[in-house]
Amino acid sequence: MKDVLEVNNLKKELGSFSLERLTFSLKEGCITGFIGVNGSGKTTTIKTILGLYPKDEGSITFFGKELEKSEYTIKNRIGVVLDEGYFYEEMTLKEMKSVIAPAYSDWDESVFLNYINRFKLKLNQKISTLSKGMRMKFAISIALSHHADILIMDEPTSGLDPLIRDELMEILLNFMEEEGKSVFFSTHITSDLDKVADMLILIDKGRIILNESKDKLIERHAVVKGDNSLINESTRKLFVSLRQTAFGFEGITDKAEVVCEEMNNVIIEKTSIENVMLAYIKEG
């Protein structure tokens, strides 16, 4: 699979916060979940990648080209959905579309109108009257109406009800049915990625903690429960995170096979993306 985005040694300082030389890539044909708690650096990373924040050091290339040297060509191939409002509140949907559409050489009005009808949006309605869910649907309609090759989304499901979040996941899967597409999806709601993500990148305090296939990540981690008598200096090292109470212990391990060999009478259960994320963040 080809790399559609390559980030190397990216550094960006914003006040007391900084991105610490991030290095990762996005593959063609993959939905990559960018996970982390609020304040971990997800939005700063995305805004720096998109050129909304100037980077301090490092390199960012889309499709093998640097953003600074090929900005128009690259941005024509990117669809963007941000959590924060970036529409003019007093404009109607039609007026807002008329401002944005000329920026894209491949704007497709028929695709846009299909999404507007699908989402039951009204073109004469003002942005200020839209609910959060309707704003997100309008943003998606804009992002997918110029035949983008990569869709970059920053916390698109934050504050949305489960029904709309599920609908968005279906849209992403439909988008990926076309060859050569990719999605970079930032979120702290990890359950949104259970059904759709291929790769996961975990960021915490401006540093990349994990970067691997979602299936492999889940496969090599497990929840372990048992009696406190089983925890000693040696077995404690088998856990990424460990919590003990008067009733026993519960931990996340990335060494399930070794746990089975060294610890008898423990319960081993499948873990979740959220459990793994929190385990590494708490440990860090």
Side-chain angles (χ1 to χ4, degrees), residues 10-265:
L10 178 62
K11 186 174 178 61
K12 175 63 186 176
E13 293 187 0
L14 279 177
S16 61
F17 180 81
S18 64
L19 299 178
E20 299 294 339
R21 302 198 176 279
L22 305 188
T23 296
F24 63 91
S25 62
L26 304 184
K27 301 292 184 182
E28 182 181 85
C30 287
I31 295 179
T32 301
F34 191 40
I35 61 175
V37 297
N38 288 332
S40 59
K42 300 187 301 297
T43 296
T44 301
T45 301
I46 286 178
K47 287 189 172 182
T48 306
I49 286 172
L50 293 173
L52 300 176
Y53 291 156
K55 67 181 187 295
D56 295 332
E57 296 180 37
S59 65
I60 303 165
T61 59
F62 285 92
F63 316 105
K65 299 178 180 179
E66 293 183 21
L67 184 63
E68 297 93 333
K69 297 179 180 179
S70 307
E71 184 172 359
Y72 180 75
T73 301
I74 289 172
K75 288 190 174 180
N76 213 29
R77 300 179 66 182
I78 301 174
V80 178
V81 178
L82 302 177
D83 177 37
E84 62 187 37
Y86 55 99
F87 298 129
Y88 295 117
E89 293 289 311
E90 293 307 309
M91 281 190 173
T92 64
L93 274 63
K94 184 176 181 180
E95 291 168 339
M96 192 71 245
K97 182 270 299 183
S98 297
V99 171
I100 296 173
Y104 300 105
S105 61
D106 292 331
W107 180 265
D108 193 326
E109 188 71 8
S110 63
V111 172
F112 174 73
L113 293 176
N114 282 338
Y115 277 111
I116 292 296
N117 293 328
R118 174 178 177 176
F119 295 145
K120 296 180 173 59
L121 298 173
K122 298 177 181 178
L123 288 174
N124 61 354
Q125 190 170 357
K126 283 191 174 184
I127 302 291
S128 60
T129 67
L130 298 178
S131 66
K132 186 173 180 62
M134 293 171 70
R135 284 173 184 256
M136 187 56 59
K137 288 179 177 180
F138 180 57
I140 291 167
S141 300
I142 294 287
L144 296 180
S145 292
H146 61 277
H147 302 286
D149 292 315
I150 178 172
L151 184 60
I152 297 179
M153 314 178 80
D154 184 27
E155 298 281 2
T157 59
S158 178
L160 301 183
D161 66 57
L163 189 62
I164 295 178
R165 283 162 45 199
D166 190 63
E167 187 177 4
L168 176 57
M169 297 306 104
E170 289 298 323
I171 291 169
L172 295 186
L173 291 175
N174 291 339
F175 174 74
M176 292 300 296
E177 288 177 0
E178 189 175 341
E179 188 175 350
K181 303 298 184 183
S182 304
V183 174
F184 190 42
F185 185 146
S186 152
T187 185
H188 66 277
I189 307 174
T190 55
S191 58
D192 289 333
L193 298 171
D194 286 330
K195 292 191 295 184
V196 300
D198 302 298
M199 298 292 296
L200 292 173
I201 299 174
L202 171 61
I203 186 172
D204 186 49
K205 298 176 183 176
R207 296 178 173 85
I208 299 295
I209 307 299
L210 293 169
N211 182 0
E212 64 181 287
S213 156
K214 179 195 71 177
D215 292 339
K216 288 183 179 179
L217 184 76
I218 296 301
E219 183 180 324
R220 74 180 181 89
H221 289 84
V223 178
V224 183
K225 300 176 182 178
D227 189 86
N228 282 323
S229 62
L230 297 171
I231 301 298
N232 53 47
E233 186 177 348
S234 174
T235 58
R236 188 179 296 276
K237 296 177 182 178
L238 301 176
F239 295 90
V240 176
S241 70
L242 184 67
R243 181 172 63 90
Q244 292 180 269
T245 70
F247 301 99
F249 76 87
E250 178 175 325
I252 301 292
T253 182
D254 60 348
K255 302 177 179 65
E257 292 185 3
V258 180
V259 168
C260 289
E261 293 174 359
E262 297 190 12
M263 304 177 73
N264 296 321
N265 301 317

